[in-house]
Amino acid sequence: MRHVLDETDRRIAAALVASPRASWREVARCLGLSERTVVRRVALLYADGTLRATVVRNPARFPHLIPVALRISCRPNKIRQVAHALARRTDTVWVDILGGGDEISTIFFLEGPEARNNLLLRDLPATDAVGSWTAHTLLRVFPTAFRWTAGLLSPAELAELAPDPAPPTEPSYTQADVDTALIAGLTDDGRATYTDLARRAGTTALTARRRLEALMEGQVLRLATELDLALLGAQTEALLWIAVQPGALQDTAQTLSIHPHVRFCAATTGPANLVVAVAAANLDALYAFLTGTVGPLNGVTAIDTTPLLATVKRTGLIRH
């Protein structure tokens, strides 16, 4: 994994964050580069693990999934051990170490009520290093926040690569036989070729392509490019746990989700009914966001800002 990227690499990476399966030709045209330059540079970025492509299920389209955000208090001398144990679980999507090094934030996609109850009533109580926790069910995730690019793409470039998604044409999702294999293949490699996906699913490349397009149009899946956000200039990350008056929750979430610093935004259960992940250039930028963007919102009644100290897992991928 790289520790520094030059400006061209940063813009290519930002383009792939915005559109994880964009063709090299599309990226080159959007950024004003030659296709050869994009191919040469991006091959190295994927080869050394700086960029990794994957896919995340949309829990709103899988009725059995229960998306839960947990804030877990741990003994500081055991926090990395607990964080890595959580990251190894297949049902965790994000695992971050927060604040003063005694708290973990994680997002679970739990496979039904039994899995939720086992986690909260059996697994966490049996972990000696865990002191307490609070659980917040994610009620609605606002997808516009996934268009975060660290400000490295202009609005026109972003619109060209990743236009605003249209509402799903089908109100419900009916899983096809090939979907499980396609999702597994994309989870391992979000840029796997249609031929590779077809081989894994036991179908044709054309069928794999059509089915993936249907899954994306139905917002069943979210393609993702994972990288260290600091490489794109975001040196300060924080989670904001915001209490919002119920009547203002929708408007507040929509306002925050389109801000350039916001990379995740979801309405939740609990006293803090909105969780927002922020990635900013520095502490001054975070302060400006809190005072200039969150502060004027009339519906906000309280906010708890927790800096991220370390990321252990992101979009289902363990950090190396």
Side-chain angles (χ1 to χ4, degrees):
M1 181 185 295
R2 312 275 185 92
H3 297 290
V4 178
L5 298 181
D6 66 19
E7 185 65 18
T8 299
D9 282 341
R10 291 170 68 198
R11 280 178 44 80
I12 290 172
L16 291 168
V17 169
S19 184
R21 281 185 69 90
S23 71
W24 308 142
R25 180 175 298 177
E26 290 170 333
V27 173
R29 182 176 63 246
C30 176
L31 301 183
L33 301 170
S34 71
E35 187 174 350
R36 178 177 296 180
T37 296
V38 171
V39 171
R40 175 172 52 83
R41 286 176 174 260
V42 84
L44 295 173
L45 292 172
Y46 281 112
D48 65 13
T50 299
L51 298 183
R52 292 188 292 169
T54 189
V55 72
V56 180
R57 290 177 293 174
N58 177 2
R61 307 292 274 166
F62 292 83
H64 68 286
L65 282 183
I66 301 176
V68 175
L70 285 179
R71 297 181 66 174
I72 304 170
S73 296
C74 297
R75 297 209 308 267
N77 64 330
K78 295 290 186 180
I79 196 163
R80 286 194 176 273
Q81 179 181 334
V82 174
H84 284 283
L86 289 168
R88 287 191 295 270
R89 292 179 59 124
T90 59
D91 53 6
T92 53
V93 183
W94 288 3
V95 180
D96 293 307
I97 298 175
L98 304 180
D102 61 352
E103 186 180 7
I104 294 170
S105 172
T106 182
I107 290 181
F108 284 83
F109 284 178
L110 297 163
E111 300 279 347
E114 183 177 359
R116 177 197 58 201
N117 294 345
N118 286 340
L119 172 68
L120 299 178
L121 303 178
R122 184 193 66 191
D123 297 347
L124 289 176
T127 307
D128 291 337
V130 171
S132 63
W133 61 88
T134 57
H136 307 258
T137 300
L138 304 186
L139 299 176
R140 175 169 297 180
V141 176
F142 293 84
T144 47
F146 295 128
R147 294 160 61 83
W148 181 92
T149 61
L152 290 166
L153 301 184
S154 69
E157 290 169 334
L158 181 59
E160 180 180 347
L161 275 175
D164 289 327
T169 55
E170 296 292 335
S172 61
Y173 161 57
T174 301
Q175 184 163 330
D177 292 339
V178 301
D179 288 358
T180 300
L182 285 178
I183 292 170
L186 290 164
T187 299
D188 292 340
D189 179 6
R191 290 198 63 93
T193 66
Y194 292 113
T195 300
D196 289 340
L197 292 173
R199 186 181 303 115
R200 186 158 183 165
T203 187
T204 66
L206 180 59
T207 298
R209 179 170 188 160
R210 287 175 174 171
R211 192 57 201 161
L212 177 55
E213 289 173 350
L215 292 173
M216 298 306 301
E217 290 172 3
Q219 298 179 22
V220 175
L221 303 176
R222 178 176 71 86
L223 293 164
T225 299
E226 164 61 8
L227 77 162
D228 181 355
L229 302 187
L231 292 172
L232 301 187
Q235 301 291 335
T236 299
E237 292 188 68
L239 285 180
L240 312 183
W241 307 86
I242 305 175
V244 183
Q245 295 172 359
L249 183 58
Q250 178 77 10
D251 288 345
T252 301
Q254 289 181 334
T255 297
L256 294 179
S257 69
I258 63 174
H259 192 281
H261 290 344
V262 172
R263 61 179 181 83
F264 179 80
C265 180
T268 74
T269 59
N273 54 0
L274 189 65
V275 59
V276 176
V278 176
N282 49 42
L283 292 173
D284 282 344
L286 175 60
Y287 178 79
F289 174 76
L290 293 173
T291 57
T293 299
V294 181
L297 298 174
N298 293 328
V300 173
T301 58
I303 182 171
D304 180 9
T305 304
T306 53
L308 269 61
L309 298 186
T311 293
V312 182
K313 190 175 189 179
R314 187 69 56 81
T315 55
L317 298 176
I318 297 174
R319 285 280 178 92
H320 300 302

